[in-house]
Every structure is written in C-alpha cells, then in structure tokens.
Amino acid sequence: MQYAKKLLDEIGIDSRRVEMFNMGASDAQKFTGAADEMTERARELGPNPLMPKGK
Amino acid sequence: MAKSFKEALESGKFVVTAEVGPPKGTDIEEMLHHIDLLKDKVDGLNVTDNQSSVMRLSSISVSHIIKEKGGEPILQMTCRDRNRLALESDLISANILGINTVLCLTGDYITVGDHVEAMPVFDLDSVLLLKTVRLLESGKDLGGNELKGAARFCAGAIVTPEANPIEPQLLKFEKKIKAGAEFFQTQAIYDLDNFKKFMKYARQFNVKILAGIVLLVSSGMAKYMNANVPGIFVPKDLIDEMASAEKGKALEKGIEIAGRMIKTLKDENICDGVHIMAIGKEGKVPDILAAAGLA
Amino acid sequence: MNEFEPKVVAFCCQYCAYSAADLAGSMRLQYSPNVRIVKLMCTGKVDVIHLLKAFEGGADAVFVAG
Amino acid sequence: MIVADRKPFDDIKAMLEGFERVLIVGCGECVSVCMVGGEKEVEILASQLRMAAGKEGKKIELGETTLERQCDREYLELLKDKIENYDVVVSMACGAGVQFLAEMYDHKIVLPATNTRFIGVTEGEGVWTERCRACSDCVLAETGGICPVTICAKGLLNGPCGGTNDGKCEVSKEKDCAWTLIYNRLNKLGRLDSIREIFPAKKYNVQTRPGRRIHEAFKEKE
C-alpha cells in the first residue's frame, strides 16, 4: 500500500485517494464506514486529475 | 628540544607528545601561537591529516613549519585521500623537509567529514603504510623500483585499548608491529585498570606505548564520548568527579584529572609516555604538564 | 463542481469485505452509492498495477478491503 | 545477481520530455528478481507515464515489452521490428543491458530507467545486500567467506580500523564491522592463523577496465 501511495505521489495524484481496510465477514459497519470515508475523501480532493474537465 | 623524537623514545625517558590541528584556510596565526607555546615543552607534536575527513592545511606543510621553528613534528598520514603513489611521494617529500617521524593511520571514512561526495581511496591501510615506510627505507618503492636515496623514518601507529571487541584490534596491533611500528599512541584512555591489563599484554612486544590523554572539559563531554566515540570509555567515578566541579571550574577539574592520570602513568611506570589531545584547548597543555609535575 | 459525484472503486475479498458489504445490504445499512465493488477471491491478489489501472480508468478513489 | 534502483519518476519523465512514442523494455533476469525492471515494473512505469501525460493533457504512445534478458544479442534481436515504431527506448535493465541495447540499435535513443547499484543477494523479502565488488582477485579463502573489500566501508585487508564499535561500522551503526564478522567466523572455524600474516596491497591492475574474459575453449577462435 505504501508502494502504491508512493507511485501515485510521484505522478502528482494525491495518495490519500487510495487506502487499505481490514475487516471480517460480519463487519458490515466497517464496510459502510470505509465506503463513506473514501467517498468523502474523493469529494474533498475533487475529481481524478486525469479525467477531462467538465464532466 | 634538540633531540629528535626517535632519540627521545630511545632515551628511556617518559615521552610527552601533544597535537596541533592545521586550520581550514590560510590564516595560521593561532596555530603558530600554539606551536610556539608547545614546541619546547613536548618531545613531539602530532600534526593531524585532514582530521575527521575535514579538509584543512596539509600535515606536511604544518610539520615543516614546526621543524623550521625548531620543534619536532610527528607527521600523521592517513590512507583515505591518497593512493600508494601519492603516499610514497609525500613520505619521501616529508623526509627531505626534515620530517623524520610519521604516524601511520587508516583515516576516518569520507562521509564523517565535510566532503561527503568525495571518493574514498584506502588503496593501502595503516599496516601496509607502515610496511611502505620500511620499504622506502630499504631504498625501494612499492613498484619494485630503486630510489635515488633512501628514506629514514621513526614510524608509529595507533591502537585502541578500549576497542570492543578487543581481539581483532589486538590482532591488528600485532600486524602493525610486524610491519615495523616502533611506537604507538593510544586512543584516549580513562580506565587505568583496564589500561594496565592492555599494557601487560603489550609489554611482550618491543614497542613504546604512549597513552592517549584527552582533556575532559565537562561531564557532558564525557557522557557524549561514551555514547558516540568508538573505543572511548570514561568510568562513572570520573564523570561524577567532573560533575562535582564548581560552576565555571570544570576545565580546571579536567586539567587536574589529566595531570593526575599522567603522573600515575609515569610514577607507576605503566607505559612509556603520553600523547595529550587537548582538542580545541591546546593552550592548556602547559597547565596539564604542570599538574602532572612535568613542567 | 456541485454535481461532482466521485467514483470509488472497492477491491473486496469475497469472504470478508464482500460478505460484509452483502450483510450491510441485508441490514439495510446506508452507505455511499458511489462505490463500485470488484469482487476477488482474495485481496492478496490485488497488485499495485490494479490500483494504478483503476485510477487510469478514471476512479477518484480506490480502496482495498479484506 | 545485479541489484538496481528505479530512477525517480521525475527523472524518467524529464528524460522523455518531448517524445511521444516510447518503448519500455524490461529485463527478465536480475532486475526482475530485485523488483525494479521486470514485466510487472514495465507495466507500472507505463501506467505512471500514461497517467502523468494524461494529467498534463499530453499525448504519449507507450509500447511495453520484456525480454528474457538484455545482456545477450539473441534476445535483443527480438526487438528488431517493434523498435522502429518508437522514437525512444527506455530500458529497465541494469547498465550493462542498457548499453548492449543501445549498441545494437545505435540509430535509436536509448535511455536508462534504473540506477545500477551492486552485485548482491536477496537478504530477505524485498531486501538485497551487496556481497561482491568484482575486484578480480578473490580473498574469501583467507577471510572466512566474508569479503572485506565489499563489507568493510574502507575495504581494509588487514583488520578493523579504530572506528569499529560493538561490532558495528563507524560509517553507520546499521552496518556490521566486516572485520568483527571475519574474526568471529574464523575463530569459530579455528582458522585465525589465516589473517595473522600481513595481507599484501591489492593488485588493481588485474581489474582491467573494461573487463574482458574469453573462455579457454574459445580462445583460438578469437
């Protein structure tokens, strides 16, 4: 994961856009938490800088 | 003193050497002052060679100045910055300038100094440098060629009696003797009992040993050396003694301790002399000698 | 910028995180509708290159859950 | 094996400034094992370059291929047709591979994506350490199989320097003192006598640069 973050940082993509979460099969809340957190981070950081603007 | 260092060594007297650190730059006023202060009080003045891998005036030029002033220089030579050609050339060059005593060292690694990007050489090591000195004396060089006029040196080396582990260090000590070392200056010693053990071992060889004395200036310095300088161990009672000094009197206490140690080494005939390193406080060497009863 | 809806890719192990997501569904737990799940036998299989490819494909955030 | 580092991405990007058609060539030997220039790393670099170009709105056309190795002509020949479609080649091999590729296709610009570091071993997962300096005059028989030329920072042949401390090196407390290791190993083997004699100065003339070796069986052909 650190490696992925480094590779992204190198090309100027904020490494906070990628994360690893550990959970068990019954951790439904953990999953929804992870899903919400990553969506929130994406909102904060804005669109993927690779994509054409205005979409 | 008119006597050469070799004569002093062989006279059987308790030999005293001190150290001069060449400055970084061409302003040598302070260094000249230290040379004048010390040259007649000691049997030899070591001149460091780009000490701690920090670029400075060369040890040959400063040794030459000492010689001209009537002192007795001990040329330190490290294997860090020169290959065998340059080392041999510098050795015979030193000789024609009247520099007859050389201390053969490996040298600190480049990256501890101020030119970290430079190429470390280490073509020879301290043992091989000693051998080279002896070879040049035989009228030959490392290329197997005849010299037009042989060299003549009193050659020394260093040993660290507090090294950990000690066995590999002693193995190298014996190699240095085999290679032709006539005298050794030791890394700083503070634990006299341990040093006596080392001397008992060293006495089986026909070499002169000068104990290294580094002037303590504070208890903090002692603790720092224990933590950071390889091969130096200051026992707790000495640290406590330094700490007990009144405010502003720590240096006096350090001088007192150094003087006392030198006196013990001499009176108990433990070793053949001392090498005083008053790092940055060269002006205090006469005080140390006075405290030791040697002035 | 108001209409920006992030695309989030989740690489999920079918035994743990995918089950957890499934359970979240059964429990009627609400979570971000922006998440697209990629089910894997095991997240141990996820390689750096998969993460990079997800970003190349336009993902705004990527997470691995296992 | 030969161990390398990948050059920082910014350096690679700067080298490729102005080129649109880039062929990335990996090597399946050492640099694959040390995870810096094999098939997978070719993919990663390509992905990074594509994203970086996309971000800046630049056009880039990337070719990706990995050869068995780049230090043999027969494998390099496989690039013959492909290479013509590209303006520039980025080799992810060690310096030897980069040079051999460049020599064979001397009408193409060939750029290195790695910094070649040393000859070493896999110490553990993802960790490689240097074990040989290729000095052409091996001393391992005398030193208990531990190379002072490589492991000692100063390459000393006659025992430890005064900087050794608790079995560590003066250069870094992370590094072992080679001569403490050698002493301990020889002591264990009962072979300390092999380091009691003074080791002569190293012969640097046996390290011809560049090195060249011809197998006995092939000497007549030369």
Side-chain angles (χ1 to χ4, degrees):
Chain A
M1 190 48 66
Q2 286 312 312
Y3 182 40
K5 283 178 179 288
K6 182 192 157 234
L7 291 170
L8 288 173
D9 274 335
E10 276 186 334
I11 47 178
I13 292 183
D14 196 306
S15 59
R16 282 173 294 170
R17 289 183 190 272
V18 63
E19 207 55 76
M20 169 89 202
F21 297 91
N22 288 308
M23 60 191 68
S26 55
D27 289 335
Q29 263 113 355
K30 258 197 190 166
F31 179 81
T32 58
D36 292 344
E37 169 167 356
M38 291 313 285
T39 309
E40 217 27 64
R41 279 198 206 175
R43 269 191 221 287
E44 255 172 57
L45 296 167
N48 179 337
L50 298 178
M51 299 317 282
K53 300 248 160 60
K55 277 185 85 178
Chain B
M1 284 182 197
K3 258 195 222 163
S4 74
F5 181 70
K6 195 181 173 81
E7 283 165 355
L9 265 188
E10 286 169 356
S11 71
K13 65 168 284 213
F14 191 78
V15 175
V16 177
T17 58
E19 205 161 276
V20 171
K24 191 181 189 68
T26 54
D27 178 356
I28 58 172
E29 278 309 307
E30 194 185 347
M31 182 189 77
L32 291 178
H33 170 72
H34 285 148
I35 294 171
D36 285 334
L37 188 73
L38 299 176
K39 68 179 170 62
D40 297 324
K41 296 196 168 62
V42 297
D43 301 294
L45 268 177
N46 280 41
V47 184
T48 53
D49 178 12
N50 289 337
Q51 190 180 10
S52 308
S53 307
V54 171
M55 191 283 293
R56 302 159 198 267
L57 283 184
S58 77
S59 53
I60 290 187
S61 62
V62 174
S63 292
H64 183 54
I65 290 174
I66 294 173
K67 191 77 197 176
E68 296 237 295
K69 282 178 162 288
E72 182 64 11
I74 298 175
L75 175 74
Q76 294 197 181
M77 270 194 125
T78 73
C79 300
R80 175 190 53 236
D81 311 324
R82 285 160 290 188
N83 69 2
R84 64 192 83 174
L85 255 83
L87 288 168
E88 288 178 297
S89 170
D90 278 358
L91 279 168
I92 55 175
S93 302
N95 234 187
I96 62 157
L97 293 173
I99 301 161
N100 300 310
T101 310
V102 60
L103 187 78
C104 299
L105 310 162
T106 299
D108 289 330
Y109 197 67
I110 286 278
T111 53
V112 308
D114 69 350
H115 280 58
V116 295
E117 293 177 343
M119 179 177 181
V121 181
F122 302 109
D123 184 15
L124 303 181
D125 57 37
S126 52
V127 175
L128 293 169
L129 184 56
L130 283 160
K131 253 191 114 165
T132 304
V133 170
R134 294 299 170 230
L135 184 69
L136 295 172
E137 288 179 330
S138 77
K140 283 212 168 64
D141 67 13
L142 283 166
N145 311 296
E146 297 283 336
L147 299 179
K148 189 175 173 189
R152 193 88 215 112
F153 277 109
C154 173
I158 60 160
V159 63
T160 306
E162 297 278 2
N164 180 28
I166 186 72
E167 294 85 0
Q169 180 75 205
L170 299 183
L171 197 134
K172 189 159 191 179
F173 172 72
E174 291 177 31
K175 276 192 184 183
K176 285 176 174 175
I177 296 169
K178 256 188 223 169
E182 296 161 71
F183 70 96
F184 283 83
Q185 292 174 330
T186 78
Q187 174 60 288
I189 55 132
Y190 293 98
D191 183 341
L192 288 186
D193 290 335
N194 202 25
F195 183 63
K196 279 182 199 166
K197 269 185 231 152
F198 167 78
M199 281 309 300
K200 205 174 156 209
Y201 154 84
R203 281 292 185 221
Q204 44 178 325
F205 305 99
N206 182 29
V207 284
K208 304 284 183 181
I209 310 278
L210 315 190
I213 303 291
V214 168
L215 175 65
L216 291 174
V217 297
S218 67
S219 59
M221 171 195 178
K223 286 181 199 154
Y224 175 85
M225 290 198 300
N226 276 353
N228 297 298
V229 184
I232 294 191
F233 170 68
V234 188
K236 192 172 175 302
D237 53 330
L238 282 187
I239 298 177
D240 292 344
E241 192 179 342
M242 283 303 293
S244 76
E246 274 175 56
K247 213 168 182 297
K249 301 270 185 203
L251 183 59
E252 275 87 339
K253 182 55 88 180
I255 292 169
E256 180 195 323
I257 292 173
R260 188 176 72 213
M261 281 175 58
I262 295 169
K263 194 166 186 321
T264 309
L265 290 168
K266 180 171 186 281
D267 292 352
E268 296 185 18
N269 199 19
I270 296 170
C271 57
D272 307 299
V274 285
H275 175 55
I276 303 168
M277 292 165 272
I279 305 155
K281 297 268 186 290
E282 284 77 8
K284 295 292 174 192
V285 172
D287 298 342
I288 296 172
L289 291 174
L294 286 170
Chain C
M1 262 337 207
N2 281 341
E3 70 269 34
F4 167 56
E5 276 304 329
K7 284 196 276 296
V8 179
V9 177
F11 288 100
C12 293
C13 161
Q14 69 165 328
Y15 297 104
C16 11
Y18 191 78
S19 305
D22 209 17
L23 183 63
S26 328
M27 289 164 72
R28 305 287 185 269
L29 289 178
Q30 295 288 322
Y31 70 90
S32 165
N34 305 56
V35 175
R36 276 76 159 169
I37 296 178
V38 179
K39 186 168 95 169
L40 300 163
M41 292 294 280
C42 170
T43 44
K45 183 72 188 87
V46 179
D47 190 272
V48 154
I49 193 68
H50 300 124
L51 306 176
L52 295 181
K53 285 271 162 80
F55 284 108
E56 265 193 69
D60 299 303
V62 178
F63 71 99
V64 182
Chain D
M1 82 176 134
I2 294 174
V3 179
D5 273 338
R6 205 192 77 181
K7 280 183 181 284
F9 183 74
D10 283 345
D11 292 4
I12 298 175
K13 201 175 127 212
M15 285 191 290
L16 291 174
E17 194 62 50
F19 294 112
E20 278 186 10
R21 296 180 303 164
V22 179
L23 178 62
I24 306 175
V25 187
C27 175
E29 293 277 345
C30 318
V31 290
S32 251
V33 181
C34 69
M35 291 159 58
V36 75
E39 201 174 344
K40 193 171 139 187
E41 289 76 25
V42 168
E43 257 192 290
I44 290 173
L45 178 60
S47 176
Q48 281 191 298
L49 285 169
R50 263 194 306 273
M51 284 197 266
K55 210 172 143 227
E56 291 167 15
K58 285 183 182 159
K59 248 181 67 186
I60 193 160
E61 186 193 325
L62 292 170
E64 300 170 38
T65 188
T66 300
L67 302 176
E68 199 73 27
R69 52 176 175 269
Q70 294 188 24
C71 49
D72 263 320
R73 283 207 175 89
E74 57 191 296
Y75 295 111
L76 288 172
E77 267 166 19
L78 301 174
L79 289 177
K80 208 164 76 195
D81 298 325
K82 199 168 202 168
I83 205 167
E84 299 310 327
N85 301 325
Y86 298 92
D87 310 324
V88 60
V89 182
V90 173
S91 166
M92 299 197 76
C94 68
V98 179
Q99 289 193 55
F100 217 28
L101 201 164
E103 181 180 314
M104 194 144 163
Y105 298 101
D106 61 3
H107 62 295
K108 285 282 167 196
I109 298 166
V110 177
L111 302 171
T114 63
N115 290 321
T116 304
R117 299 277 308 278
F118 52 78
I119 302 175
V121 297
T122 309
E123 176 113 359
E125 226 180 315
V127 181
W128 295 273
T129 52
E130 185 171 11
R131 289 303 158 87
C132 179
R133 278 265 146 137
C135 76
S136 308
D137 186 15
C138 192
V139 301
L140 289 170
E142 284 83 15
T143 57
I146 297 164
C147 177
V149 178
T150 310
I151 313 295
C152 169
K154 300 173 185 174
L156 301 180
L157 294 171
N158 278 300
C161 71
T164 176
N165 201 16
D166 290 334
K168 297 295 174 187
C169 174
E170 79 176 18
V171 173
S172 156
K173 283 179 185 162
E174 313 282 298
K175 292 182 209 262
D176 289 324
C177 166
W179 278 98
T180 305
L181 295 178
I182 292 169
Y183 185 92
N184 291 343
R185 172 90 51 92
L186 290 173
N187 194 22
K188 191 163 120 187
L189 296 170
R191 289 175 64 101
L192 279 174
D193 282 347
S194 76
I195 51 169
R196 281 192 213 284
E197 287 310 310
I198 296 173
F199 213 97
K202 213 156 174 53
K203 297 183 184 79
Y204 284 91
N205 58 337
V206 298
Q207 302 181 20
T208 49
R209 292 287 181 258
R212 182 172 164 84
R213 170 182 173 254
I214 308 163
H215 191 287
E216 296 301 322
F218 294 82
K219 276 194 173 155
E220 276 164 33
K221 279 192 198 167
E222 260 290 301

